[in-house]
Amino acid sequence: MGSVPKDAAAYDITFPEHDFAMQWNLNEDEGRYLEKEHSVEQVGCIHTVQGLELDYVGVIIGPDLIVREGRVITQPQERAKTDRSLHGYKKARKQYPEEADARAEAIIKNTYRTLMSRGLKGCLIYCTDAETQEYFRQQIALAFAEEEPEPATESAPANRPATEDPTTQPEEGVRFLSAAEVGDDDNAVPFIDLPVAAGDFAESFAEIQNPQQAETWIGLPDMYRAKPGLFATRVEGESMNRRIPSGSLCLFEANPGGSRNGRAMLVYRRDIQDPDHGGGLTVKVYHSEKVPNPDHEWEHRRIVLACDTMAPGYEDIALDEAQAGELQVLGEFKGTLER
């Protein structure tokens, strides 16, 4: 497939048999190539795409993941040498082979799961292995051949009633646990029962600041790995329905660092007035305009909390410099937990 040279003009992802050649310019774009206009002409990795969404995404599945006789097999030894996500794998495997292999398998599968879920409208897949390519082709054909689900009726509403206990409807692959049940081997995160985008937020603020105080936890599906700072909650409303269907159980990372532009964030300000519920707590796509400040590195001139919806009648929330200073960013949306 090629290497990753320092020459930004080189075509280092190549498939000569398909007359395909593209550039890998992460050094030039400082790891933010997807935010550049020329990103459609370049290739990147999970470290620059996670947390971002595109209309369409193309994913190259390399030899680190293959399918044999319908069984998905991961091959850590085929991972690119420049990928640091498996750093220490060989050393760990000498001491704890089963644990090292299980961890490597989870990382590889989560990598492709993350990449393939970035496209809001569609995902194009190319596998370097022919049998793997045919497997995906068959699975996609089967998925399109399945019957459409019957529409919800008045007796079985599609959305969860606002008064329903959010822990009584577990999704496939998700387990609700009490804090006393959580053990060291559980892949679990705190569940914060917040009326996201609605209701009184003040009483639950302490739990968001310290999710470890939560009484209820959620055992995550295999595609996610628990780590400090992750928490789950439900998101209600249609203002983000291209990414988050109303009522979805969602995973967030508290106190996210780095640039927030273009990312879906959970934020709070007392007088935001979310378009769905009018509350001060909301999930929106974060955009900021910054200017230099002689006393600090920069300051916000304006923040826009943008909707991402197919429903009509929604407007973005714009905050001026004074309002932006009072905005609290609580977490970054990492994905939904439903299948």
Side-chain angles (χ1 to χ4, degrees):
M1 244 170 54
S3 59
V4 186
K6 295 182 179 179
D7 181 3
Y11 290 90
D12 45 349
I13 308 294
T14 61
F15 299 103
E17 66 274 24
H18 299 297
D19 193 28
F20 177 93
M22 297 192 80
Q23 297 173 329
W24 183 293
N25 284 355
L26 300 186
N27 290 335
E28 178 183 288
D29 292 329
E30 298 179 349
R32 299 174 63 182
Y33 87 107
L34 273 179
E35 300 176 28
K36 308 291 184 177
E37 293 184 0
H38 57 241
S39 65
V40 70
E41 302 171 353
Q42 298 181 5
V43 178
C45 65
I46 184 175
H47 307 298
T48 56
V49 73
Q50 57 188 351
L52 297 176
E53 276 77 30
L54 313 168
D55 283 344
Y56 296 93
V57 64
V59 178
I60 299 172
I61 298 180
D64 57 340
L65 187 146
I66 61 174
V67 176
R68 292 293 180 264
E69 298 180 353
R71 187 166 68 94
V72 177
I73 301 171
T74 56
Q75 303 187 119
Q77 70 277 11
E78 298 293 339
R79 195 78 159 187
K81 300 298 187 294
T82 53
D83 192 327
R84 303 291 294 174
S85 60
L86 291 183
H87 179 67
Y89 163 72
K90 291 183 179 179
K91 181 178 180 181
R93 197 175 191 279
K94 293 179 180 179
Q95 295 179 307
Y96 310 102
E98 292 185 3
E99 291 86 344
D101 286 344
R103 179 177 181 274
E105 180 178 12
I107 290 173
I108 292 172
K109 288 183 176 180
N110 185 64
T111 295
Y112 286 116
R113 180 259 163 202
T114 300
L115 294 173
M116 294 167 66
S117 63
R118 297 305 88 191
L120 297 174
K121 297 181 179 179
C123 172
L124 305 176
I125 302 171
Y126 173 75
C127 304
T128 59
D129 177 76
E131 185 174 338
T132 307
Q133 179 80 359
E134 182 58 28
Y135 170 82
F136 276 98
R137 192 188 308 276
Q138 293 175 1
Q139 293 302 309
I140 292 171
L142 288 173
F144 277 103
E146 292 180 354
E147 294 183 358
E148 292 289 332
E150 295 183 4
T153 63
E154 291 185 2
S155 60
N159 291 334
R160 179 176 60 84
T163 57
E164 183 179 303
D165 183 349
T167 67
T168 60
Q169 299 292 324
E171 287 74 13
E172 184 175 348
V174 174
R175 296 175 298 125
F176 286 92
L177 306 168
S178 68
E181 294 178 293
V182 179
D184 294 337
D185 296 332
D186 286 304
N187 183 33
V189 299
F191 173 76
I192 310 301
D193 186 8
L194 291 179
V196 175
D200 183 5
F201 175 61
E203 293 181 358
S204 300
F205 181 71
E207 288 187 310
I208 278 289
Q209 297 289 52
N210 185 6
Q212 302 303 317
Q213 296 178 357
E215 296 181 358
T216 302
W217 288 60
I218 284 182
L220 298 178
D222 291 340
M223 66 182 67
Y224 293 106
R225 302 307 300 172
K227 66 177 183 178
L230 292 181
F231 65 92
T233 190
R234 286 202 183 273
V235 175
E236 304 285 356
E238 300 294 340
S239 63
M240 289 288 289
N241 65 19
R242 290 182 64 194
R243 307 185 189 201
I244 309 173
S246 181
S248 292
L249 185 62
C250 297
L251 186 67
F252 288 86
E253 182 174 5
N255 305 316
S259 174
R260 299 163 181 164
N261 269 328
R263 301 178 186 273
M265 312 299 291
L266 171 63
V267 299
Y268 173 71
R269 191 175 187 277
R270 186 176 300 277
D271 57 353
I272 276 181
Q273 295 187 346
D274 178 86
D276 275 310
H277 304 287
L281 182 66
T282 188
V283 179
K284 293 291 179 290
V285 181
Y286 185 102
H287 298 282
S288 68
E289 300 174 6
K290 302 176 182 178
V291 293
N293 184 310
D295 299 324
H296 309 284
E297 292 185 1
W298 50 264
E299 64 182 16
H300 292 293
R301 171 176 289 173
R302 184 170 180 263
I303 290 178
V304 175
L305 304 174
C307 301
D308 189 7
T309 180
M310 295 178 287
Y314 284 92
E315 296 183 358
D316 298 342
I317 301 171
L319 305 176
D320 60 26
E321 182 177 341
Q323 295 171 320
E326 299 177 6
L327 186 72
Q328 300 177 57
V329 178
L330 306 177
E332 178 183 351
F333 170 68
K334 308 303 291 187
T336 58
L337 298 180
E338 291 89 352
R339 184 174 178 177

